[in-house]
Amino acid sequence: MEKKQESRSWAKPFGETLTLHNGVTIPQLGLGSYQINEGQEVVDAVRESLLLGYRHIDTASIYQNEHGVGQGFRESGLPRDEVFITSKVWNAEQGYENTLLACENSLKRLQMDYLDLYLIHWPSPDTKLSLATWSALEKLYSEKKVRAIGVSNHKEHHLKDIFKACRIRPMVNQIELHPQFPQAKLQAFCKENNIIIESWAPLTRGKIFGKKPLPQLVEKYSKSAAQIILRWHIQQGLVVLPKSKNISRIKENADVFEFNLEPADMIAMQELQGKRIWADPDTLDFGRVL
Protein backbone atom coordinates (compact mmCIF):
# COMPACT_ATOMS: atom_id res chain seq x y z
CA MET A 1 0.00 0.00 0.00
CA GLU A 2 1.33 3.47 -0.90
CA LYS A 3 2.26 5.53 2.12
CA LYS A 4 -0.08 8.49 2.54
CA GLN A 5 1.72 11.82 2.47
CA GLU A 6 1.41 14.00 5.54
CA SER A 7 -0.55 17.16 4.80
CA ARG A 8 1.68 20.20 5.32
CA SER A 9 1.50 23.84 4.37
CA TRP A 10 4.32 25.65 2.63
CA ALA A 11 5.88 28.98 3.50
CA LYS A 12 5.54 32.00 1.26
CA PRO A 13 8.42 32.36 -1.21
CA PHE A 14 11.27 34.38 0.20
CA GLY A 15 13.91 36.51 -1.42
CA GLU A 16 14.08 38.34 -4.70
CA THR A 17 13.68 37.47 -8.37
CA LEU A 18 15.63 38.61 -11.41
CA THR A 19 14.27 38.98 -14.95
CA LEU A 20 15.87 37.20 -17.89
CA HIS A 21 16.08 39.00 -21.22
CA ASN A 22 13.00 37.15 -22.49
CA GLY A 23 10.92 38.40 -19.56
CA VAL A 24 10.93 35.17 -17.52
CA THR A 25 11.56 35.74 -13.81
CA ILE A 26 14.02 33.57 -11.91
CA PRO A 27 14.32 33.31 -8.10
CA GLN A 28 17.68 34.63 -6.99
CA LEU A 29 18.25 31.84 -4.46
CA GLY A 30 17.95 28.20 -5.45
CA LEU A 31 18.79 24.77 -4.10
CA GLY A 32 21.68 23.07 -5.88
CA SER A 33 21.33 19.28 -6.01
CA TYR A 34 24.78 18.15 -7.20
CA GLN A 35 25.87 15.05 -5.20
CA ILE A 36 22.52 14.74 -3.45
CA ASN A 37 21.73 11.08 -3.96
CA GLU A 38 18.76 9.84 -5.96
CA GLY A 39 16.00 8.44 -3.80
CA GLN A 40 14.79 9.60 -0.40
CA GLU A 41 17.79 11.88 0.16
CA VAL A 42 17.02 14.21 -2.73
CA VAL A 43 13.24 13.82 -2.32
CA ASP A 44 13.48 15.07 1.26
CA ALA A 45 15.87 17.92 0.42
CA VAL A 46 13.68 19.22 -2.41
CA ARG A 47 10.38 18.81 -0.57
CA GLU A 48 11.60 20.47 2.62
CA SER A 49 13.30 23.34 0.79
CA LEU A 50 10.06 24.10 -1.05
CA LEU A 51 8.06 23.93 2.17
CA LEU A 52 10.51 26.42 3.71
CA GLY A 53 10.05 28.92 0.87
CA TYR A 54 12.57 27.99 -1.84
CA ARG A 55 11.09 28.23 -5.33
CA HIS A 56 14.11 27.31 -7.46
CA ILE A 57 15.66 23.84 -7.82
CA ASP A 58 18.74 23.11 -9.96
CA THR A 59 19.52 19.63 -11.27
CA ALA A 60 21.15 17.99 -14.31
CA SER A 61 20.97 14.68 -16.13
CA ILE A 62 24.50 13.77 -14.96
CA TYR A 63 23.47 14.23 -11.31
CA GLN A 64 21.25 11.15 -11.74
CA ASN A 65 18.65 12.51 -9.32
CA GLU A 66 16.01 14.04 -11.61
CA HIS A 67 13.39 11.46 -10.66
CA GLY A 68 13.80 12.32 -6.98
CA VAL A 69 13.77 16.05 -7.70
CA GLY A 70 10.42 15.62 -9.45
CA GLN A 71 9.08 13.48 -6.62
CA GLY A 72 10.18 16.01 -4.00
CA PHE A 73 8.41 18.74 -5.93
CA ARG A 74 5.19 16.73 -6.12
CA GLU A 75 5.31 15.93 -2.41
CA SER A 76 5.56 19.66 -1.66
CA GLY A 77 2.08 20.14 -3.08
CA LEU A 78 3.06 23.36 -4.84
CA PRO A 79 1.59 24.26 -8.24
CA ARG A 80 4.04 23.64 -11.09
CA ASP A 81 4.05 27.29 -12.18
CA GLU A 82 5.28 28.43 -8.76
CA VAL A 83 8.56 26.49 -8.87
CA PHE A 84 11.51 27.19 -11.18
CA ILE A 85 13.17 23.94 -12.32
CA THR A 86 16.51 23.82 -14.16
CA SER A 87 18.23 20.87 -15.80
CA LYS A 88 21.23 20.51 -18.12
CA VAL A 89 22.28 18.48 -21.14
CA TRP A 90 25.41 16.46 -20.36
CA ASN A 91 28.52 16.32 -22.55
CA ALA A 92 27.85 12.82 -23.92
CA GLU A 93 24.31 13.91 -24.86
CA GLN A 94 25.35 16.88 -26.98
CA GLY A 95 24.53 17.31 -30.67
CA TYR A 96 21.24 18.36 -32.24
CA GLU A 97 19.19 15.13 -32.15
CA ASN A 98 20.90 13.88 -28.99
CA THR A 99 20.03 17.08 -27.13
CA LEU A 100 16.36 16.90 -28.13
CA LEU A 101 16.27 13.34 -26.81
CA ALA A 102 18.17 14.28 -23.64
CA CYS A 103 15.61 16.96 -22.82
CA GLU A 104 12.73 14.54 -23.38
CA ASN A 105 14.42 12.04 -21.07
CA SER A 106 14.93 14.68 -18.37
CA LEU A 107 11.26 15.65 -18.59
CA LYS A 108 10.23 11.99 -18.29
CA ARG A 109 12.41 11.48 -15.22
CA LEU A 110 11.10 14.67 -13.62
CA GLN A 111 7.53 13.79 -14.75
CA MET A 112 7.04 17.34 -15.97
CA ASP A 113 5.74 18.87 -19.19
CA TYR A 114 8.35 21.62 -19.39
CA LEU A 115 11.53 22.98 -17.83
CA ASP A 116 11.91 26.56 -16.71
CA LEU A 117 15.56 26.60 -17.78
CA TYR A 118 17.69 24.21 -19.82
CA LEU A 119 21.46 24.62 -20.00
CA ILE A 120 24.42 23.22 -21.93
CA HIS A 121 26.42 21.78 -19.03
CA TRP A 122 29.95 22.32 -20.45
CA PRO A 123 31.24 23.81 -23.70
CA SER A 124 32.56 21.25 -26.15
CA PRO A 125 36.08 21.66 -27.56
CA ASP A 126 34.33 20.99 -30.88
CA THR A 127 32.62 24.30 -31.68
CA LYS A 128 30.39 22.67 -34.30
CA LEU A 129 29.06 20.27 -31.68
CA SER A 130 28.35 23.12 -29.27
CA LEU A 131 26.51 25.09 -31.94
CA ALA A 132 24.41 22.07 -32.92
CA THR A 133 23.51 21.63 -29.27
CA TRP A 134 22.57 25.29 -28.99
CA SER A 135 20.40 25.00 -32.10
CA ALA A 136 18.52 22.17 -30.39
CA LEU A 137 17.96 24.37 -27.33
CA GLU A 138 16.50 27.04 -29.59
CA LYS A 139 14.08 24.46 -31.02
CA LEU A 140 13.06 23.31 -27.54
CA TYR A 141 12.47 26.94 -26.61
CA SER A 142 10.37 27.61 -29.72
CA GLU A 143 8.28 24.51 -28.92
CA LYS A 144 7.76 25.77 -25.33
CA LYS A 145 9.30 22.67 -23.81
CA VAL A 146 11.63 25.04 -21.96
CA ARG A 147 10.83 28.58 -20.84
CA ALA A 148 14.43 29.79 -21.01
CA ILE A 149 17.75 28.54 -22.38
CA GLY A 150 21.33 29.13 -21.42
CA VAL A 151 24.74 27.68 -20.80
CA SER A 152 26.97 26.60 -17.96
CA ASN A 153 30.74 26.92 -17.56
CA HIS A 154 31.07 29.05 -20.68
CA LYS A 155 33.84 31.62 -20.97
CA GLU A 156 33.69 34.79 -23.03
CA HIS A 157 35.07 33.13 -26.18
CA HIS A 158 32.53 30.29 -25.92
CA LEU A 159 29.71 32.81 -25.70
CA LYS A 160 31.05 34.78 -28.67
CA ASP A 161 30.99 31.60 -30.76
CA ILE A 162 27.30 31.16 -29.93
CA PHE A 163 26.56 34.82 -30.64
CA LYS A 164 27.89 34.45 -34.19
CA ALA A 165 25.50 31.62 -35.06
CA CYS A 166 22.47 31.88 -32.79
CA ARG A 167 18.95 33.19 -33.33
CA ILE A 168 18.42 33.51 -29.57
CA ARG A 169 21.20 34.53 -27.22
CA PRO A 170 21.76 32.65 -23.95
CA MET A 171 19.73 34.00 -21.06
CA VAL A 172 21.86 32.46 -18.31
CA ASN A 173 25.47 31.41 -17.74
CA GLN A 174 25.95 29.17 -14.70
CA ILE A 175 29.62 29.26 -13.65
CA GLU A 176 31.95 28.57 -10.78
CA LEU A 177 31.85 31.84 -8.87
CA HIS A 178 32.65 32.68 -5.25
CA PRO A 179 34.69 35.29 -3.34
CA GLN A 180 37.91 33.41 -4.07
CA PHE A 181 37.11 33.36 -7.80
CA PRO A 182 34.74 36.25 -8.60
CA GLN A 183 35.24 36.20 -12.40
CA ALA A 184 34.86 39.99 -12.63
CA LYS A 185 35.70 40.19 -16.34
CA LEU A 186 33.21 37.46 -17.28
CA GLN A 187 30.61 39.05 -15.00
CA ALA A 188 31.01 42.35 -16.84
CA PHE A 189 30.77 40.66 -20.26
CA CYS A 190 27.59 38.81 -19.32
CA LYS A 191 26.00 41.94 -17.87
CA GLU A 192 26.83 43.84 -21.07
CA ASN A 193 25.06 41.12 -23.06
CA ASN A 194 22.01 40.78 -20.75
CA ILE A 195 23.02 37.32 -19.53
CA ILE A 196 22.18 36.51 -15.91
CA ILE A 197 24.97 34.74 -14.03
CA GLU A 198 24.26 31.85 -11.69
CA SER A 199 26.95 30.92 -9.15
CA TRP A 200 27.67 27.26 -8.59
CA ALA A 201 29.89 26.19 -5.67
CA PRO A 202 29.13 29.61 -4.14
CA LEU A 203 30.39 28.50 -0.72
CA THR A 204 33.50 26.63 -1.97
CA ARG A 205 32.32 23.73 0.23
CA GLY A 206 33.53 25.74 3.20
CA LYS A 207 37.12 26.02 2.03
CA ILE A 208 37.26 29.77 2.72
CA PHE A 209 35.14 30.00 5.87
CA GLY A 210 38.13 30.61 8.17
CA LYS A 211 39.91 33.10 5.91
CA LYS A 212 39.96 36.86 6.52
CA PRO A 213 37.78 38.88 6.59
CA LEU A 214 35.03 36.27 7.12
CA PRO A 215 35.57 35.64 10.89
CA GLN A 216 35.39 39.38 11.53
CA LEU A 217 32.24 39.74 9.41
CA VAL A 218 30.61 36.77 11.15
CA GLU A 219 31.07 38.56 14.45
CA LYS A 220 30.00 41.97 13.10
CA TYR A 221 26.74 40.80 11.50
CA SER A 222 25.97 37.87 13.83
CA LYS A 223 25.59 35.69 10.77
CA SER A 224 27.34 32.49 9.70
CA ALA A 225 30.18 32.52 7.17
CA ALA A 226 27.85 30.83 4.68
CA GLN A 227 25.23 33.54 5.13
CA ILE A 228 27.84 36.29 4.68
CA ILE A 229 29.07 34.71 1.43
CA LEU A 230 25.57 34.13 0.07
CA ARG A 231 24.68 37.74 0.85
CA TRP A 232 27.81 38.81 -1.09
CA HIS A 233 26.39 36.97 -4.13
CA ILE A 234 22.88 38.38 -3.71
CA GLN A 235 24.08 41.97 -3.48
CA GLN A 236 25.91 41.61 -6.80
CA GLY A 237 22.72 40.62 -8.59
CA LEU A 238 23.77 36.99 -9.03
CA VAL A 239 21.58 33.91 -8.83
CA VAL A 240 23.11 31.70 -6.17
CA LEU A 241 22.73 27.91 -5.85
CA PRO A 242 24.04 26.56 -2.53
CA LYS A 243 23.83 22.79 -2.30
CA SER A 244 22.84 21.00 0.89
CA LYS A 245 20.88 17.93 1.94
CA ASN A 246 20.87 19.05 5.60
CA ILE A 247 17.49 20.64 6.34
CA SER A 248 18.77 23.00 9.04
CA ARG A 249 21.53 24.20 6.69
CA ILE A 250 19.03 24.61 3.85
CA LYS A 251 16.99 26.83 6.18
CA GLU A 252 20.07 28.78 7.30
CA ASN A 253 21.13 29.40 3.70
CA ALA A 254 17.78 31.06 3.04
CA ASP A 255 18.13 33.58 5.86
CA VAL A 256 20.08 36.07 3.75
CA PHE A 257 17.47 38.64 2.77
CA GLU A 258 17.06 40.61 5.99
CA PHE A 259 20.50 42.22 6.18
CA ASN A 260 22.96 44.03 3.91
CA LEU A 261 26.74 43.98 3.80
CA GLU A 262 28.12 47.49 3.98
CA PRO A 263 30.02 48.70 0.89
CA ALA A 264 33.33 48.60 2.77
CA ASP A 265 32.71 44.97 3.70
CA MET A 266 31.87 44.04 0.12
CA ILE A 267 35.25 45.51 -0.83
CA ALA A 268 36.96 43.73 2.06
CA MET A 269 35.75 40.40 0.65
CA GLN A 270 38.22 40.96 -2.20
CA GLU A 271 40.95 39.79 0.20
CA LEU A 272 39.71 36.26 -0.48
CA GLN A 273 40.50 36.37 -4.20
CA GLY A 274 42.60 33.54 -5.54
CA LYS A 275 42.12 30.74 -8.04
CA ARG A 276 39.25 28.59 -9.20
CA ILE A 277 38.80 25.39 -7.20
CA TRP A 278 37.29 23.13 -9.87
CA ALA A 279 37.93 22.45 -13.55
CA ASP A 280 38.78 25.09 -16.12
CA PRO A 281 36.36 24.76 -19.07
CA ASP A 282 39.28 25.12 -21.50
CA THR A 283 41.22 22.19 -20.01
CA LEU A 284 38.42 19.93 -18.78
CA ASP A 285 38.46 16.36 -20.06
CA PHE A 286 35.16 16.65 -21.93
CA GLY A 287 34.53 12.91 -21.79
CA ARG A 288 34.97 12.47 -18.08
CA VAL A 289 32.17 12.12 -15.53
CA LEU A 290 31.93 14.70 -12.75
Side-chain angles (χ1 to χ4, degrees), residues 172-190:
V172 167
N173 189 13
Q174 185 181 125
I175 57 175
E176 178 186 344
L177 195 153
H178 42 74
Q180 184 169 296
F181 193 63
Q183 301 228 54
K185 184 178 178 182
L186 183 53
Q187 279 201 59
F189 179 81
C190 287

Side-chain angles (χ1 to χ4, degrees), residues 24-42:
V24 168
T25 58
I26 181 171
Q28 201 172 0
L29 177 68
L31 177 74
S33 66
Y34 175 52
Q35 292 187 330
I36 303 182
N37 294 325
E38 179 64 286
Q40 202 61 47
E41 186 171 275
V42 74

Side-chain angles (χ1 to χ4, degrees), residues 195-215:
I195 298 172
I196 295 290
I197 286 184
E198 295 184 334
S199 307
W200 64 259
L203 301 174
T204 69
R205 296 182 185 168
K207 296 178 186 294
I208 60 173
F209 283 7
K211 296 182 179 180
K212 293 182 179 180
L214 280 172

Side-chain angles (χ1 to χ4, degrees), residues 69-85:
V69 167
Q71 182 64 27
F73 158 73
R74 287 185 292 279
E75 290 186 10
S76 76
L78 279 161
R80 175 66 186 91
D81 62 1
E82 290 189 20
V83 181
F84 195 98
I85 304 289

Side-chain angles (χ1 to χ4, degrees), residues 153-181:
N153 301 301
H154 280 50
K155 292 184 173 182
E156 184 174 331
H157 69 93
H158 299 122
L159 291 167
K160 286 181 176 178
D161 286 339
I162 292 175
F163 291 172
K164 292 175 185 176
C166 71
R167 292 183 294 105
I168 305 166
R169 286 194 172 193
M171 297 152 196
V172 167
N173 189 13
Q174 185 181 125
I175 57 175
E176 178 186 344
L177 195 153
H178 42 74
Q180 184 169 296
F181 193 63

Side-chain angles (χ1 to χ4, degrees), residues 11-284:
K12 292 181 179 179
F14 49 69
E16 306 294 335
T17 61
L18 302 176
T19 303
L20 305 179
H21 70 64
N22 69 336
V24 168
T25 58
I26 181 171
Q28 201 172 0
L29 177 68
L31 177 74
S33 66
Y34 175 52
Q35 292 187 330
I36 303 182
N37 294 325
E38 179 64 286
Q40 202 61 47
E41 186 171 275
V42 74
V43 170
D44 290 346
V46 169
R47 182 190 64 247
E48 295 304 309
S49 68
L50 294 174
L51 291 170
L52 286 167
Y54 282 73
R55 294 296 183 267
H56 182 174
I57 307 295
D58 180 90
T59 185
S61 63
I62 195 65
Y63 299 171
Q64 298 182 15
N65 61 13
E66 288 173 311
H67 182 272
V69 167
Q71 182 64 27
F73 158 73
R74 287 185 292 279
E75 290 186 10
S76 76
L78 279 161
R80 175 66 186 91
D81 62 1
E82 290 189 20
V83 181
F84 195 98
I85 304 289
T86 299
S87 194
K88 312 175 191 76
V89 55
W90 181 240
N91 302 348
E93 301 169 319
Q94 287 201 35
Y96 187 81
E97 295 295 340
N98 286 345
T99 297
L100 297 178
L101 178 60
C103 184
E104 286 296 332
N105 287 336
S106 286
L107 289 170
K108 286 177 183 177
R109 288 188 290 266
L110 289 160
Q111 295 184 43
M112 294 179 181
D113 296 326
Y114 67 91
L115 289 166
D116 295 281
L117 177 63
Y118 198 45
L119 306 176
I120 300 177
H121 209 143
W122 290 89
S124 171
D126 178 352
T127 303
K128 289 184 178 180
L129 181 63
S130 286
L131 295 180
T133 303
W134 183 255
S135 182
L137 263 63
E138 291 180 327
K139 179 176 174 62
L140 292 165
Y141 178 71
S142 69
E143 293 177 345
K144 302 187 185 304
K145 291 182 179 179
V146 297
R147 297 177 64 231
I149 52 178
V151 296
S152 182
N153 301 301
H154 280 50
K155 292 184 173 182
E156 184 174 331
H157 69 93
H158 299 122
L159 291 167
K160 286 181 176 178
D161 286 339
I162 292 175
F163 291 172
K164 292 175 185 176
C166 71
R167 292 183 294 105
I168 305 166
R169 286 194 172 193
M171 297 152 196
V172 167
N173 189 13
Q174 185 181 125
I175 57 175
E176 178 186 344
L177 195 153
H178 42 74
Q180 184 169 296
F181 193 63
Q183 301 228 54
K185 184 178 178 182
L186 183 53
Q187 279 201 59
F189 179 81
C190 287
K191 184 175 182 180
E192 180 183 329
N193 287 280
N194 296 316
I195 298 172
I196 295 290
I197 286 184
E198 295 184 334
S199 307
W200 64 259
L203 301 174
T204 69
R205 296 182 185 168
K207 296 178 186 294
I208 60 173
F209 283 7
K211 296 182 179 180
K212 293 182 179 180
L214 280 172
Q216 293 88 342
L217 297 181
V218 165
E219 183 176 356
K220 176 178 179 178
Y221 290 96
S222 298
K223 293 288 185 180
S224 69
Q227 289 170 325
I228 296 292
I229 295 169
L230 292 174
R231 187 64 211 173
W232 175 86
H233 287 269
I234 295 292
Q235 285 184 215
Q236 293 184 80
L238 304 168
V239 173
V240 63
L241 302 167
K243 167 258 175 178
S244 183
K245 58 188 177 184
N246 181 289
I247 305 305
S248 63
R249 199 162 294 129
I250 290 172
K251 185 175 182 179
E252 176 187 303
N253 288 343
D255 187 17
V256 293
F257 294 98
E258 302 300 326
F259 75 103
N260 284 293
L261 296 177
E262 295 175 4
D265 293 328
M266 291 289 289
I267 293 171
M269 292 283 280
Q270 294 177 9
E271 294 182 35
L272 292 162
Q273 288 191 32
K275 299 179 179 179
R276 68 168 70 244
I277 296 173
W278 286 275
D280 186 319
D282 284 333
T283 58
L284 174 81

